[in-house]
Amino acid sequence: MSDFEADKIAKVKKALSTCTMCGFCKAVCPSFKSIGWDSALSRGRIILTYGLLVGDLEADDSVVENMYTCTTCADCTRRCPSGVDIVGIIEMCRADLVKNGHILPKHKAIVDSVLKYNNPYGEEKSVVKTLGVEPRKAKVGYFAGCTATYREKKIAAASLSILKKLGVDFTTVDEVCCGSVLQRIGADEEHALKLMKKNVDAIRSLGVETLVLSCSGCFRMFKEEYPKFIEVPFKVLHISEFLAKQDLKLKPLGDVKVTYHDPCHLGRHCKVYDAPREVLKKFPNINFKEMKYNKSGSHCCGGGGGVRSAYPEEAKDIGGTRLDEAKFADLVVTACPFCVANLNSATGDRKIKVIDLTELVDSNL
């Protein structure tokens, strides 16, 4: 990895000297649960990054796989007593791998699709065409995100339905991919920056003052990543935050045991824990119980960081371990299209249903 810049070299060396190999990350790493090797663990990935950096390791298939089975859930960062920015190092390593030609075929297809179609799914229709609601001037903008638009369509439909039922003066956005998938994969930063500018320009042109987003990954991008590169001249809210402030008249769910799964990008990355739970509390007499691992300690669903696209079986295994933690419930509510998709793929013969918060609200509003 001769192309590492000096500051990146310093960051990896500092991480290596700071990491005590205590193994705290081992207890929470979702990919380690599935794979079982230290190389597929935070401390192992730091060592791999260093080996690549100094030329002791070649970027063979096994090394690349271990760098890309990380879901970037950041639970290791939360548990690290030494405060190592593990996710930052992993994403930095991925960017260098891609720069040097080591990109997984599935990820290359995603990058090519985003560059050609403005979404990772190879869909030729724009988000606006797919949603069927044309943009117009409004103070509230709705950003659906690619996954809710093209794959988990019920989430986008429910979100639009809720906004209409509440009488919100809103607009859709002529949106393109937020860039999250490119950043997680390690694609050229310039590609993501172009997407950021397109989205912000489109939103600004509509006079939007508050942007409401369905996807936790998109929300994190606008909240945490966009401001690093570009001015964001509007308020950014996840739809759970928006709904928590609304006077929702909801029907009771009856004798249904409900629990909530915290999406990593919404929770650990952006610290939004209360809003989704406040929305659930609006259901009269809801039979709600937390999972053992919740809020900042919530375990990952396995669907993030490019893992589900490149290593679907590992992602499904991780999703299964999370569902096992919810076996007391009839209904797992979450607030992210990626979590919905991956947890649903892992249900198997479990008698449990996974649903997005917006779908639950819309069907009972």
Side-chain angles (χ1 to χ4, degrees):
M1 278 200 175
S2 58
D3 292 330
F4 263 91
E5 298 167 9
D7 61 331
K8 294 179 180 178
I9 295 173
K11 183 174 182 177
V12 177
K13 285 186 174 179
K14 183 180 179 181
L16 264 179
S17 62
T18 305
C19 176
T20 61
M21 300 294 159
C22 65
F24 276 28
C25 55
K26 199 170 190 173
V28 296
C29 179
S31 51
F32 177 76
K33 290 178 191 175
S34 174
I35 298 166
W37 290 90
D38 261 33
S39 52
L41 178 65
S42 306
R43 64 185 184 185
R45 290 178 176 122
I46 294 174
I47 294 171
L48 291 179
T49 301
Y50 182 74
L52 291 166
L53 167 64
V54 299
D56 286 348
L57 285 177
E58 293 291 327
D60 63 17
D61 290 347
S62 65
V63 171
V64 172
E65 178 176 346
N66 280 301
M67 294 311 300
Y68 276 98
T69 47
C70 170
T71 65
T72 68
C73 74
D75 208 6
C76 54
T77 303
R78 177 186 69 87
R79 286 298 306 275
C80 181
S82 303
V84 177
D85 179 17
I86 301 164
V87 172
I89 289 171
I90 289 168
E91 292 192 343
M92 179 181 69
C93 182
R94 288 178 174 183
D96 205 78
L97 284 169
V98 172
K99 186 178 180 181
N100 286 282
H102 303 288
I103 185 169
L104 296 167
K106 291 284 182 68
H107 288 168
K108 186 179 187 306
I110 287 173
V111 174
D112 291 345
S113 178
V114 171
L115 296 181
K116 184 175 181 180
Y117 299 111
N118 289 319
N119 67 77
Y121 298 115
E123 299 284 350
E124 296 187 29
K125 280 188 178 180
S126 69
V127 170
V128 169
K129 291 280 188 188
T130 305
L131 294 180
V133 181
E134 291 294 323
R136 62 184 183 84
K137 294 280 185 177
K139 290 186 177 181
V140 175
Y142 172 63
F143 193 100
C146 299
T147 303
T149 300
Y150 299 112
R151 292 297 179 267
E152 298 298 319
K153 296 181 181 181
K154 290 181 180 178
I155 296 173
S159 301
L160 291 171
S161 176
I162 290 168
L163 292 172
K164 290 174 183 175
K165 287 178 181 177
L166 293 176
V168 178
D169 181 25
F170 77 97
T171 178
T172 55
V173 177
D174 190 13
E175 64 184 77
V176 296
C177 174
C178 71
S180 179
V181 64
L182 299 187
Q183 280 198 341
R184 307 291 77 75
I185 286 170
D188 188 334
E189 198 172 78
E190 285 301 310
H191 296 328
L193 184 57
K194 288 178 182 176
L195 296 171
M196 292 178 187
K197 288 179 178 177
K198 280 185 181 180
N199 279 324
V200 170
D201 287 346
I203 296 162
R204 184 193 284 118
S205 71
L206 297 170
V208 170
E209 296 177 5
T210 300
L211 187 70
V212 178
L213 302 98
S214 283
C215 178
S216 296
C218 298
F219 172 72
R220 177 184 176 272
M221 286 296 289
F222 276 93
K223 196 81 172 175
E224 302 290 331
E225 295 298 322
Y226 276 45
K228 296 176 184 177
F229 302 93
I230 187 173
E231 182 191 2
V232 179
F234 42 81
K235 189 176 182 180
V236 177
L237 290 177
H238 185 265
I239 196 162
S240 64
E241 295 178 298
F242 181 81
L243 293 176
K245 298 177 181 179
Q246 306 300 313
D247 181 20
L248 302 177
K249 299 291 192 283
L250 297 169
K251 294 181 288 187
L253 298 175
D255 190 26
V256 177
K257 297 173 185 175
V258 181
T259 193
Y260 176 73
H261 165 74
D262 290 274
C264 300
H265 280 169
L266 185 63
R268 266 187 300 276
H269 283 268
C270 292
K271 307 296 185 287
V272 177
Y273 301 115
D274 294 335
R277 291 169 170 83
E278 288 170 9
V279 176
L280 288 172
K281 286 177 184 176
K282 293 177 186 287
F283 286 92
N285 303 313
I286 187 171
N287 185 2
F288 179 82
K289 181 182 176 182
E290 293 279 9
M291 280 187 267
K292 180 180 179 181
Y293 301 101
N294 61 75
K295 297 187 178 180
S296 64
S298 176
H299 288 164
C300 180
C301 79
V307 176
R308 189 163 187 257
S309 56
Y311 302 104
E313 288 306 311
E314 284 81 355
K316 187 187 289 187
D317 285 346
I318 296 167
T321 63
R322 185 57 171 157
L323 288 176
D324 286 342
E325 295 169 359
K327 60 185 177 182
F328 60 85
D330 302 309
L331 188 65
V332 176
V333 181
T334 187
C336 177
F338 275 92
C339 294
V340 170
N342 200 60
L343 290 174
N344 270 323
S345 75
T347 52
D349 58 1
R350 296 177 180 86
K351 298 185 185 304
I352 194 167
K353 184 179 180 182
V354 182
I355 192 171
D356 190 83
L357 181 65
T358 54
E359 294 179 71
L360 189 66
V361 168
D362 183 49
S363 62
N364 293 278
L365 184 61

